[in-house]
Every structure is written in C-alpha cells, then in structure tokens.
Amino acid sequence: MDKIIINGGHTQLKGQVEIEGAKNAVLPLLAATILPSEGETVLRNVPILSDVYTMNAVISHLNIPLVFDKQQNTVVTQAAESVAIEAPYEYVSQMRASIVVLGPILARNGHARVSMPGGCTIGSRPIDLHIRGLQAMGAEITHNGGFIEAKADALHGAHFYMDFPSVGATQNIMMAATLAKGTMVLENAAREPEIVDLANLLNKMGADVKGAGTDTIVIKGVEKMHGTTHHVVQDRIEAGTFMVAAAMTQGNVLILDAVREHNRPLLSKLSEMGVDIIQEEDGIRVIGPETLKSVNVKTLPHPGFPTDMQAQMTAAQAVANGESTMIETVFENRFQHLEEMRRMGLSADISRNSANIQGGGPFSGAEVRSTDLRASAALILLGMVAQGTTTVGHLEHLDRGYYKFHEKLAKLGADIKRINPKESCHV
C-alpha cells in the first residue's frame, strides 16, 4: 500500500498551482447523464480520481455507454434507450455519493434499486431527506436486503421543505424532478457552487431549473432531456487546501483561476490569521505570515465555512500562535484526524463536536494514517511544518479527492514523495 513521506520543518511553498475539476461537482454531473434519452453528453475538466472511476463504473453498469479520456480529462456518454434499474453494492459501497443515481434512475424508469451507500467514516449521514423528498413526489420507498427500492408510476411536482440543506438530497431531488409532471418547489435547499453547476448542466440538457444557489429551487418537469457539453467547475476544496498550505508554510503561492466567491469563508478566516490574500488576473495569491494568529471557526452549510475544509484548517490552527477553537456542526465524527495529529505533537481538547487547539507546536514527524479524505491532506500539511520525517498511510482516502497531490506540492518546493513499500522491497 502506498505511503507519502514528507521531510518537514523547512518547507516554504512558492510558485503557482493548477486546480482540477471539482470532485463534489463531477459525481452528480455523471449521475445526470442518466437523464438524457437522446444525444451525447460531454463532460470536460473531469478530475482523474478514484471516486470518478467508481461513478463511471456505476453509470456503465446502468447500460449507458461511457468513455473516459484521461488525456483530455473528458467523459463522454451516449444516451441509452433503456437504463438498468439497479446500482449494485459492488460500486455504491465504495462511495457515498453514488446515492445520487437514485433520483435519475427513478425519473427514467419509474423504478430504481440502489444499494445503501458507503464512503468515509465521518458520521452516519442519514439519507432520510433523499427518501422523503422522493416520497413527496409520489415514490414508494422500501428497504430490502441492503437496497433502497423506489417505485412510481409517475413522479409529480410537490412542495418540499428540507429540515437541513443537504447537498446530496438537493441534487437527488433536483434530478428526479426534471422529468416529473408539474412543478417541484424545494425549500431550504443546499446553495453550494456544485449545486449551481449541476443546475447549469440540467438546463443545458433541456430541464427547467431556477433558483440554484439560493435556498429555494423551482424545477418544472419536462417530457425528455438531451445530451450536451459542459465544463466542470473548479474544485474549491482543492484550491482551499493549497491556500492553507501556503499560509502554514510562510509560502507565496498563486492558485490559478481560483474563484474568490467560492472560497470566501476560508479566505476571511485566513485573513484573520494574518495571511495576505491578493486577487490577481490569473487567480488568487496567498502569502503566509511569519507567524499565524489563532482563529475560531465553526463549520456550516454554504455559504458558511465548509466542513470539507475543517481538517485542513485545524492543521493551520495547530501551528498558529495561541488557542483556537473548531466547532463542527455538519458531521458528528470528523475529528479523528486530531488523534493522529497528537502523534506529531498536537495539544487539543476534544468535546463532542468542539475542539480547543493549543497552537504553536513544536511538532515532530511521525507515522500516521489517513482517517478520511480531507484528513489525509491535513496530515500532509502538518507534516510539512513538523521537524523530521512524517509518513502518511492509507492513501486510498487521499486518492478519492486529490490528483497527484504530492507532485503538486513538490513543484511548489515541498520535500515529499510517494512510495510503494512492497515495490521498494524488490528493488
């Protein structure tokens, strides 16, 4: 199993970095390719990630012809006359986001059977909102043998208020509603940039979706949808990770084509920590100070501070001067990485969804294991400032959301490499 090795304590990142298409956007975009009944759909700027391979496998299993061109970063699908009803455990168990195929399959077939989802162990993340939204549209939902089964003679529009602005549920309900009869009004909807990106694709396919990016989305059902071409939005979480990396290492890094509006909550907190944020023609430049100031952060649904930047920000809080607080309100089990950081010298008190972090170190390299996707990146970032050598294992999490992360850091000046210990034994 691969490991990343970082020789830290002297890293000062400098240069510029290109950011991939958004993982959190491309997965529902791929699910949306189930909806067209005619034509070809071309997705551009598709990141080469293990989660993308998994979703591609799900789509292909549904009888939709798919070609992934890794040289051009494109996925091309052909509309299928007949879409299969079942997304099996083999694929869905690997990645929670696979649940977003439930709505599109149901919309196309009137019948869908999707395995209960898997993914990172960062909390229970129930799917009740997905189910209740589809039930409001006339679907009958049952649970059989680890599968969610949905049936509807004809989905219809409804007025549905979401108790929590779930991103996945918003996406699932939006896609199901595109081919329903009548008008769907979705209140307290998620407002993330990835929701807007999905709505843009759906509208290009012939759907009628209005209000994406606000808390009320209105979808008027259409009779059929067609293929189109779409460019995946930039990954704001990857961009944010490199912003934090620059801030932590007294770096000077230009994040090419970064969108300030997508990263506003993070940029605001970095500014509080003394980081210089400069908007340039080619992107956003982040310049880290000699000493970071402590800061208190609370994760919230967009446009609040993103939970997917929580782990990386705790790495910055760890090296900041003074006491910082991190409150996690989105997931109930997302501080596992802090236990790994203790092995490197972190001083923190954790109480349920709150962590008080005594910043400033010192930190020393250690062997640590990734506990989830964003934790992987956070441990690597802390490894760059820790004295000595840090080894990060369980990179299957990292590969779900970052493409050649270690290579990009190396180009910016980090002393970092990725190895396969089994291969090294045979050299």
Side-chain angles (χ1 to χ4, degrees):
M1 186 176 292
D2 284 12
K3 295 184 177 182
I4 281 180
I5 299 176
I6 311 110
N7 293 313
H10 51 78
T11 304
Q12 190 173 20
L13 300 183
K14 290 185 177 180
Q16 60 185 33
V17 61
E18 292 186 6
I19 304 301
E20 310 299 317
K23 178 188 89 81
N24 290 341
V26 74
L27 301 180
L29 295 179
L30 285 165
T33 66
I34 297 168
L35 295 166
S37 54
E38 59 185 36
E40 177 183 84
T41 298
V42 181
L43 297 180
R44 304 191 185 281
N45 196 34
V46 175
I48 304 173
L49 304 171
S50 61
D51 273 11
V52 171
Y53 283 102
T54 300
M55 185 61 91
N56 285 348
V58 173
I59 301 302
S60 296
H61 181 85
L62 294 172
N63 197 39
I64 297 172
L66 180 149
V67 176
F68 185 15
D69 187 334
K70 295 176 285 297
Q71 299 300 317
Q72 299 296 323
N73 290 87
T74 61
V75 169
V76 179
T77 63
Q78 301 290 336
E81 291 184 11
S82 175
V83 174
I85 67 166
E86 183 174 306
Y89 175 82
E90 174 186 357
Y91 304 122
V92 182
S93 62
Q94 299 177 38
M95 183 182 68
R96 181 175 181 80
S98 302
I99 191 65
V100 295
V101 302
L102 179 63
I105 297 173
L106 180 61
R108 278 295 305 271
N109 290 329
H111 187 191
R113 193 167 184 266
V114 178
S115 175
M116 289 291 288
C120 285
T121 56
I122 54 174
S124 59
R125 300 196 287 183
I127 58 171
D128 60 309
L129 287 173
H130 301 247
I131 292 170
R132 285 168 48 203
L134 295 176
Q135 286 175 327
M137 299 170 67
E140 294 183 7
I141 309 289
T142 56
H143 297 79
N144 295 305
F147 281 82
I148 303 165
E149 193 156 1
K151 294 181 180 180
D153 291 335
L155 291 173
H156 57 74
H159 198 120
F160 183 67
Y161 179 87
M162 299 177 66
D163 296 336
F164 178 83
S166 162
V167 174
T170 299
Q171 293 164 338
N172 232 336
I173 296 166
M174 279 173 61
M175 287 188 279
T178 58
L179 293 174
K181 296 184 181 298
T183 300
M184 183 76 189
V185 179
L186 187 56
E187 286 195 281
N188 197 30
R191 294 185 277 171
E192 275 77 357
E194 295 81 14
I195 298 292
V196 176
D197 204 36
L198 176 59
N200 289 340
L201 172 65
L202 295 174
N203 286 334
K204 289 179 184 179
M205 289 177 163
D208 186 346
V209 181
K210 293 182 173 62
T214 74
D215 62 1
T216 301
I217 302 176
V218 178
I219 308 105
K220 293 182 180 178
V222 298
E223 288 190 6
K224 64 179 182 178
M225 294 168 67
H226 54 76
T228 189
T229 298
H230 184 76
H231 188 90
V232 181
V233 71
Q234 186 188 86
D235 195 321
R236 63 192 171 100
I237 304 303
E238 185 192 4
T241 301
F242 280 98
M243 291 174 183
V244 172
M248 289 176 62
T249 62
Q250 302 177 27
N252 184 336
V253 177
L254 176 65
I255 294 88
L256 293 169
D257 301 319
V259 182
R260 178 178 285 270
E261 193 60 36
H262 292 180
N263 287 285
R264 190 173 296 280
L266 171 63
L267 292 172
S268 175
K269 288 299 177 182
L270 290 178
S271 293
E272 283 186 47
M273 300 179 85
V275 179
D276 286 334
I277 310 292
I278 304 169
Q279 182 70 58
E280 297 186 2
E281 183 178 350
D282 294 333
I284 297 175
R285 184 173 297 279
V286 178
I287 303 174
E290 185 173 338
T291 303
L292 286 171
K293 301 175 184 176
S294 60
V295 68
N296 297 328
V297 179
K298 182 179 183 179
T299 67
L300 290 166
H302 192 79
F305 192 92
T307 182
D308 277 354
M309 283 303 306
Q310 180 254 99
Q312 302 91 309
M313 179 55 84
T314 59
Q317 291 174 314
V319 301
N321 186 28
E323 182 177 315
S324 297
T325 300
M326 175 63 76
I327 300 175
E328 172 61 58
T329 72
V330 181
F331 295 123
E332 76 278 11
N333 191 26
R334 209 167 193 180
F335 283 148
Q336 298 175 67
H337 62 281
L338 296 181
E339 297 301 333
E340 292 299 301
M341 288 181 176
R342 289 188 199 278
R343 296 171 56 81
M344 303 170 72
L346 174 69
S347 176
D349 296 319
I350 305 170
S351 177
R352 301 185 67 180
N353 70 331
S354 178
N356 291 322
I357 298 170
Q358 305 296 329
F363 296 97
S364 57
E367 183 157 356
V368 293
R369 63 184 294 272
S370 303
T371 53
D372 65 67
L373 167 53
R374 306 306 171 184
S376 307
L379 292 169
I380 292 169
L381 298 190
L382 191 59
M384 290 194 299
V385 299
Q387 295 292 329
T389 300
T390 296
T391 303
V392 182
H394 288 266
L395 300 183
E396 67 274 12
H397 296 298
L398 183 75
D399 293 339
R400 292 184 51 232
Y402 294 92
Y403 178 64
K404 294 187 176 180
F405 189 53
H406 67 292
E407 292 185 16
K408 291 183 179 183
L409 288 170
K411 288 180 180 178
L412 294 173
D415 187 346
I416 183 172
K417 61 182 178 180
R418 181 167 177 158
I419 66 165
N420 186 311
K422 288 185 178 180
E423 292 180 0
S424 299
C425 291
H426 299 291
V427 174

